[in-house]
Amino acid sequence: MIAVAEKDWRDKMKRYINIIKLILLVIAVLLSVATYYGFDDSGKQKSTEYPYYVYLMLLVSGIYIIVAIASVFMKTLREKILHKSPLLTGTVIFMMFVNIVTAKTTILPTLYFPSLDRIIGLIYEQKLFLLENVFCSLKLLITGFLWGASIGFLTGLALGYSKKVRYWLNPVTKCIGPIPTTAWIPLALSVFPTQWFYIFRR
């Protein structure tokens, strides 16, 4: 009987702990929004037209509540959300802390640490421009990878099948190999100072 009672007590405690884990993020979001409106801005940060930080918090909590409701009927999803909930809660609390030291108190210099409202607002307002830049970066990455992989593959074949090629290129590879990849960045920026892939678009 004692063992059964102890097991029931442990099961109840586990359920209570799981419930607390589920509502932790919502509590953190409410606390963050209360801090946003409870403390006046320092006035040193450039103001935004809308409270983007609050909008983000409400969006996160809304999505989380929907997923939490769905997890009631899905055990796998429930286990995942219980595992991730403390991490998500910590992230929201960290963002609240960043908002306090940037927008509310300006402990951090405004020149280098803009408020979260400004960062989130800029991402939202300039989303098309950012997507265009991401696309250009991916195009550069894919182009460079294809060129590098092709040249490396052909060079490897030549080194493997030809003694003459191996004789001339082995010293080069031995000299280039020990140099870290990051050390080539200044050279690459000097040789290709612009977006050279535009050449192929003309």
Side-chain angles (χ1 to χ4, degrees):
M1 292 294 293
I2 296 176
V4 174
E6 185 178 351
K7 185 177 182 300
D8 291 340
W9 181 80
R10 286 180 180 178
D11 291 340
K12 287 181 181 179
M13 289 300 298
K14 186 177 180 180
R15 283 197 295 269
Y16 291 148
I17 292 172
N18 288 341
I19 292 172
I20 292 172
K21 283 184 177 181
L22 283 175
I23 65 175
L24 271 178
L25 180 65
V26 178
I27 294 173
V29 168
L30 293 175
L31 181 61
S32 183
V33 173
T35 304
Y36 182 90
Y37 287 110
F39 295 92
D40 294 331
D41 289 344
S42 63
K44 296 180 181 179
Q45 291 278 4
K46 184 179 179 181
S47 60
T48 55
E49 186 177 359
Y50 302 103
Y52 291 105
Y53 175 73
V54 176
Y55 291 166
L56 178 63
M57 290 293 102
L58 294 178
L59 176 64
V60 168
S61 61
I63 295 174
Y64 179 81
I65 290 171
I66 293 172
V67 174
I69 294 173
S71 69
V72 175
F73 309 98
M74 302 171 63
K75 184 179 179 180
T76 305
L77 181 60
R78 183 165 63 253
E79 291 175 353
K80 288 182 179 179
I81 199 171
L82 287 173
H83 178 69
K84 296 291 185 180
S85 179
L87 177 62
L88 296 173
T89 303
T91 303
V92 171
I93 292 174
F94 174 75
M95 292 180 67
M96 179 184 69
F97 174 76
V98 171
N99 188 55
I100 291 173
V101 298
T102 55
K104 305 301 180 182
T105 61
T106 59
I107 294 175
L108 300 176
T110 58
L111 180 63
Y112 305 109
F113 298 93
S115 65
L116 292 177
D117 267 337
R118 291 177 61 189
I119 296 172
I120 299 168
L122 183 64
I123 293 173
Y124 176 75
E125 293 170 1
Q126 301 290 330
K127 54 184 178 295
L128 295 179
F129 177 71
L130 291 173
L131 288 174
E132 181 182 352
N133 281 272
V134 169
F135 174 75
C136 291
S137 297
L138 287 175
K139 190 170 183 178
L140 279 173
L141 175 65
I142 294 171
T143 305
F145 173 79
L146 291 176
W147 275 101
S150 301
I151 294 172
F153 178 74
L154 294 175
T155 303
L157 285 178
L159 286 169
Y161 285 100
S162 174
K163 291 183 178 180
K164 291 183 179 180
V165 173
R166 188 161 56 249
Y167 174 81
W168 289 105
L169 288 186
N170 259 345
V172 177
T173 56
K174 288 181 179 179
C175 291
I176 294 176
I179 301 175
T181 306
T182 52
W184 292 102
I185 294 177
L187 178 63
L189 292 176
S190 300
V191 176
F192 305 108
T194 58
Q195 293 184 351
W196 56 274
F197 74 93
Y198 279 113
I199 296 172
F200 299 100
R201 297 176 61 179
R202 293 180 181 176

